[in-house]
Amino acid sequence: MISILWTVAVTFFAGMGAGLGTGFAGMSAAAVISPMLITFLDMEPYLAVGIALASDVLASAVSAYTYGKNKNLDIKNGLIMMLSVLAFTVVGSYVSSLLPAQTMGGFSVFMTFLLGIKFIVKPVMTTKEDMQAVDPKKRVIQSIVCGILIGFICGFIGAGGGMMMLLILTSVLGYELKTAVGTSVFIMAFTAFTGSVSHFVIGGMPDIPIMVLCIVFTLLWARIAAKFANKASPKTLNRATGVVLVVLGAVVMLFNLFGK
């Protein structure tokens, strides 16, 4: 009985952290769920990542739907970037296998923490009008180039896709924050599905009850976060996103230290 309650508690808090990160900032659930399952449920890392990616699929899809319904989603350029990300994630993974870089995995967690501070100290106040002023052809080229960069880094490091996309969409492509998050979760829904299927095909099926609990809790909190984010003012959203990222980054870094 205690074991069941412990499993439910761990998956609840893992899903809550992942869902808030997804709904507010387009963050990959793998950054939160994986270390919690590995540290507190003693799960094999490869399967833990697979469960985290599976949790990401519905949470990202529902978040993308919520952002899209509120006209905060750039589907055209999102699809272009997604194709580049998927293709070069494979390239990055291959290069990583030749030049082992497991120690770089913690980089994405540290980047989450720093990005949170950035949103609090220097909020993204770009408007939709500013976004629409960019030449469409230039935006397509930017989406392809940035997708290649994000995909390669994600494949090489093994994590950080959501954070990389949010950083580049806001800082390089000049997206308004809500549209950046909406486009990020739209892309993440497809990349997470591809990643989870490949993990289960290669590593076998995970613990189904744990996977179902993670999916349900992540979906619930992602839905809550996405609804709040789309109603919030830009300044409030920047602060909320920053706080969520700082807390999640700090907690996951502590989990990694505790796990060792």
Side-chain angles (χ1 to χ4, degrees), residues 98-135:
L98 300 176
L99 302 168
Q102 290 87 347
T103 53
M104 294 179 67
F107 171 74
S108 62
V109 178
F110 186 59
M111 188 176 73
T112 298
F113 182 80
L114 291 181
L115 192 57
I117 293 175
K118 186 257 182 193
F119 279 121
I120 296 172
V121 175
K122 190 179 179 184
V124 176
M125 300 304 288
T126 307
T127 64
K128 281 192 167 64
E129 289 73 23
D130 294 331
M131 280 180 56
Q132 291 165 357
V134 177
D135 180 64

Side-chain angles (χ1 to χ4, degrees), residues 241-255:
T241 301
V243 169
V244 167
L245 293 179
V246 167
V247 171
L248 289 179
V251 169
V252 173
M253 281 191 279
L254 288 175
F255 284 157

Side-chain angles (χ1 to χ4, degrees), residues 152-245:
F152 183 82
I153 291 174
C154 292
F156 191 73
I157 296 174
M163 289 300 91
M164 283 296 300
M165 270 187 275
L166 185 63
L167 179 62
I168 287 177
L169 286 170
T170 54
S171 301
V172 180
L173 299 185
Y175 272 60
E176 174 258 346
L177 183 56
K178 290 181 184 179
T179 307
V181 176
T183 305
S184 178
V185 289
F186 172 73
I187 296 171
M188 287 302 296
F190 292 94
T191 56
F193 177 77
T194 304
S196 62
V197 169
S198 64
H199 267 70
F200 297 147
V201 168
I202 295 169
M205 288 303 292
D207 185 306
I208 299 299
I210 290 178
M211 182 172 73
V212 170
L213 285 171
C214 285
I215 289 173
V216 170
F217 291 140
T218 304
L219 178 62
L220 170 67
W221 286 99
R223 175 69 172 157
I224 292 171
K227 288 193 78 169
F228 173 83
N230 278 279
K231 291 179 181 177
S233 66
K235 184 175 284 189
T236 300
L237 180 57
N238 271 274
R239 285 176 178 166
T241 301
V243 169
V244 167
L245 293 179

